[in-house]
Amino acid sequence: MGDCSSSDVLTIAAPQIFDGIAMRGPGSVRILNGRIESIAFGGAQPRAPIELPSGAILAPGFIDIQVNGGGGVLLNEQPTEAGVRCIVAAHRKAGTTGCLPTLITDRSEVIERLAAAAQACLGIPGVLGFHLEGPALNRARKGIHPEAEIRVPDRRDLAAIKSFGGCGRSVVTLAPECVPAAMIDELIGVGLRIAAGHSDATAAEIRLAVDRGVSGVTHLFNAMSQLHAREPGFVGAALGDDRLFAGIICDGIHVDPACLRVAFRCKGRDRLMLVTDAMPLAGTSDRQFMLHGRQITLHENRLTGPDGTLAGAHLTMIEAVRNAVAMLGISLVDALIMASRTPAAFLGLDSELGRIAPGYRADLVAFNPNFEVVDTWIGSVGSMGEASEG
């Protein structure tokens, strides 16, 4: 899943390096065969083929587990290798070096089309797996998902969904109260990670689902039963259960900054993950797109359908990191962990990704103090094409 050859050697010098634990530097990172070979700090640094500009920070590349589209492409409309390439390329420009292209609720035929292309897509640098958000959701919490396609998967659906169990580190979002418990067992049994979302479950129902192996929460606070004094609901269960990783959309639109701060205090940087929930307008200047026959419009950074329902987010990972620092009042270190190390842990890739340390994959992002991405690397190849010292 890298994009470097077996003979690539590269050294990157940076004024600051966030190694996944602490901010350090100045220093340099030497990459061999697409993995971190060594890191050097302090003293006179040897000249490197790539020297980042003053003030730049080198960090583990961002991992986005929920990205519906980008670069003008919606995965539901183009569930193909070409479509995935376009989405991944758009988000790489904003620092995302690993993602799960996300298919929202749709017909069986669309799930099958993506399943047929999935293995080929794993060869695209930056694709870590896929995220199927639906179709087993609760209609009471459907959000922008098409109600007519929400359903308990039949055997045909299950066959297609289960095929993603052998496709990288894929995730299925479902409403646990809407499916037989045995179905959760079946999906986990083939290697899928299960996230609860678009759910009207009680706190007790969520706890039972977590006991069965549900490990994630899809866009915390959105499209779920809320926290009340005598019924904690999905939100209360998610905030209170340390077994759950929770994705959160940090755009100031989906979740009020006060609630973002509550989530951080309850979950912390090791269980709260930044996600974009991005739609096809990300990385473009377009203002509209079609979703299941409905026109979605962008206005003041808000994507809505004809009835005003939020329809995903107009957000990138570098913007989510910037917003987390500003809106949550947290350190840049905390925000970067939520954008890389924590999603890597959720996917079971924390021994490979989310740190700059010997043996880890060289998936990296460099950005300046204005939160503008300078470059990204997947293995030894940067987005500008740097590959080797020769």
Side-chain angles (χ1 to χ4, degrees), residues 16-374:
Q16 296 183 83
I17 296 175
F18 173 64
D19 63 5
I21 297 175
M23 197 71 72
R24 306 175 65 186
S28 61
V29 176
R30 179 177 167 85
I31 301 163
L32 176 65
N33 298 340
R35 291 186 178 267
I36 307 297
E37 182 186 50
S38 61
I39 312 172
F41 293 104
Q45 293 292 320
R47 286 192 60 81
I50 298 178
E51 295 192 2
L52 298 181
S54 176
I57 296 169
L58 184 68
F62 305 143
I63 299 172
D64 189 353
I65 66 166
Q66 188 176 9
V67 54
N68 312 293
V73 172
L74 178 70
L75 186 62
N76 287 68
E77 293 297 322
Q78 294 188 47
T80 62
E81 185 177 356
V84 170
R85 282 188 183 278
C86 185
I87 293 168
V88 170
H91 286 277
R92 184 169 177 178
K93 293 175 183 177
T96 298
T97 59
C99 70
L100 302 186
T102 301
L103 189 78
I104 72 169
T105 302
D106 214 320
R107 305 182 315 279
S108 301
E109 292 84 354
V110 177
I111 302 173
E112 290 168 343
R113 283 185 67 199
L114 183 61
Q119 288 298 328
C121 291
L122 286 182
I124 301 170
V127 176
L128 302 177
F130 289 87
H131 185 160
L132 305 180
E133 189 181 358
L137 310 180
N138 192 317
R139 289 185 173 87
R141 300 286 180 175
K142 68 181 186 299
I144 200 65
H145 288 244
E147 185 170 359
E149 301 300 338
I150 292 174
R151 61 195 181 278
V152 176
D154 58 18
R155 299 315 301 179
R156 176 184 177 183
D157 288 329
L158 273 177
I161 293 169
K162 287 169 64 177
S163 72
F164 288 90
C167 186
R169 302 302 173 97
S170 293
V171 173
V172 173
T173 291
L174 53 77
E177 75 278 15
C178 294
V179 300
M183 186 174 292
I184 295 176
D185 298 340
E186 188 175 356
L187 296 176
I188 292 174
V190 297
L192 289 161
R193 280 166 172 74
I194 306 301
H198 289 272
S199 166
D200 210 30
T202 64
E205 288 171 324
I206 293 296
R207 283 193 294 270
L208 287 173
V210 176
D211 289 343
R212 299 199 82 92
V214 170
S215 57
V217 174
T218 294
H219 46 51
L220 180 62
F221 288 109
N222 296 119
M224 60 183 60
S225 50
Q226 299 297 301
L227 171 65
H228 298 288
R230 288 174 294 281
E231 171 45 60
F234 189 167
V235 169
L239 292 175
D241 197 323
D242 291 339
R243 295 173 293 176
L244 284 169
F245 290 84
I248 199 160
I249 306 170
C250 193
D251 62 356
I253 295 169
H254 283 76
V255 183
D256 186 90
C259 292
L260 290 171
R261 292 189 288 271
V262 168
F264 183 78
R265 290 187 181 186
C266 290
K267 302 299 293 180
R269 67 187 191 181
D270 293 326
R271 286 293 181 270
L272 196 64
M273 305 177 287
L274 298 178
V275 301
T276 65
D277 198 20
M279 286 298 197
L281 302 191
T284 77
S285 59
D286 297 337
R287 311 293 295 181
Q288 296 177 338
F289 70 97
M290 298 300 293
L291 175 64
H292 293 295
R294 290 172 287 180
Q295 182 172 285
I296 308 301
T297 302
L298 176 64
H299 178 66
E300 296 181 348
N301 220 42
R302 181 188 298 261
L303 289 169
T304 56
D307 62 355
T309 300
L310 286 172
H314 191 61
L315 184 67
T316 63
M317 284 297 284
I318 190 65
E319 291 168 340
V321 169
R322 179 197 64 199
N323 292 345
V325 173
M327 295 178 184
L328 280 73
I330 61 176
S331 69
L332 177 58
V333 164
D334 287 341
L336 290 172
I337 287 172
M338 291 160 60
S340 58
R341 199 178 82 194
T342 302
F346 171 61
L347 296 175
L349 292 171
D350 46 331
S351 64
E352 296 262 321
L353 298 172
R355 290 187 60 192
I356 301 179
Y360 276 70
R361 285 170 43 180
D363 291 8
L364 308 169
V365 59
F367 60 96
N368 65 26
N370 295 322
F371 294 95
E372 297 165 333
V373 171
V374 175

Side-chain angles (χ1 to χ4, degrees), residues 1-26:
M1 287 188 287
D3 57 348
C4 62
S5 71
S6 61
S7 61
D8 282 334
V9 178
L10 185 68
T11 303
I12 305 171
Q16 296 183 83
I17 296 175
F18 173 64
D19 63 5
I21 297 175
M23 197 71 72
R24 306 175 65 186

